[in-house]
Amino acid sequence: MKKNSPPLKPSALVNFRKTDSQLSNIIGNFWKLVWGNDNPIIDQKTKYLLSLSNAVGGGRYRQATRELVKAYAAGTTVGEFDELFSLFVWNQGAGHFASEIGPSQLFAAYQLIKSQEEQGNSRENVMGNLLRNFGEDNPDVGTREQTA
């Protein structure tokens, strides 16, 4: 994986192409504007954390999990995730956190990072485990078309 290359690609963009090629071009160019800027003002890690937070606020845990994986790959620490998850409790409420966030793939991915780092695993090993458990092959995280 290249240093600045995210571990999960925007595979959902393929679904736009399957709908309408013009729409796909518009969305693809918009994605490049937001995520492909060679000289961004907001650093990539912060963009991932903002995107993760917005996805949680919108109840999109699939997207939030993908952003968490990318944020970790970009260098986010367990301490930063701890504070972010505390903010989720504060902003969303304890009941919402307990019933929606706690049992989610997002929380499982966060706990995998936390527990594996506590066990002394390297970031590289944790990333490998994240991608195995919370990558494209996980139907609760992947964005490719699901076949019956």
Side-chain angles (χ1 to χ4, degrees):
M1 177 174 21
K2 288 187 254 179
K3 178 149 173 55
N4 293 327
S5 177
L8 296 174
K9 305 298 181 218
S11 57
L13 295 179
V14 171
N15 294 332
F16 290 104
R17 189 175 331 127
K18 292 178 181 178
T19 302
D20 182 286
S21 63
Q22 238 181 341
L23 176 63
S24 176
N25 288 334
I26 292 167
I27 298 296
N29 286 329
F30 188 43
W31 182 91
K32 288 176 192 171
L33 175 70
V34 173
W35 296 103
N37 186 341
D38 290 334
N39 196 18
I41 304 302
I42 300 173
D43 67 273
Q44 202 70 358
K45 180 176 97 168
T46 302
K47 281 186 179 181
Y48 291 139
L49 292 173
L50 288 168
S51 189
L52 188 169
S53 296
N54 283 315
V56 167
R60 297 183 312 275
Y61 297 108
R62 174 187 313 271
Q63 177 190 356
T65 304
R66 295 173 69 81
E67 302 304 337
L68 179 131
V69 170
K70 292 184 276 188
Y72 185 72
T76 301
T77 66
V78 169
E80 289 169 314
F81 283 135
D82 289 346
E83 284 192 30
L84 185 61
F85 277 81
S86 292
L87 282 169
F88 295 154
V89 174
W90 177 257
N91 288 306
Q92 301 280 324
H96 179 82
F97 188 92
S99 68
E100 300 300 325
I101 296 173
S104 70
Q105 292 292 313
L106 170 65
F107 194 71
Y110 159 59
Q111 290 302 299
L112 182 139
I113 292 168
K114 192 168 181 161
S115 67
Q116 292 210 342
E117 281 206 0
E118 286 172 355
Q119 294 170 14
N121 286 315
S122 70
R123 183 171 284 266
E124 184 178 308
N125 286 342
V126 175
M127 269 310 302
N129 289 327
L130 270 176
L131 291 174
R132 254 187 307 288
N133 292 297
F134 302 100
E136 290 296 343
D137 292 334
N138 180 325
D140 293 323
V141 177
T143 56
R144 293 185 299 236
E145 177 182 15
Q146 301 291 321
T147 56

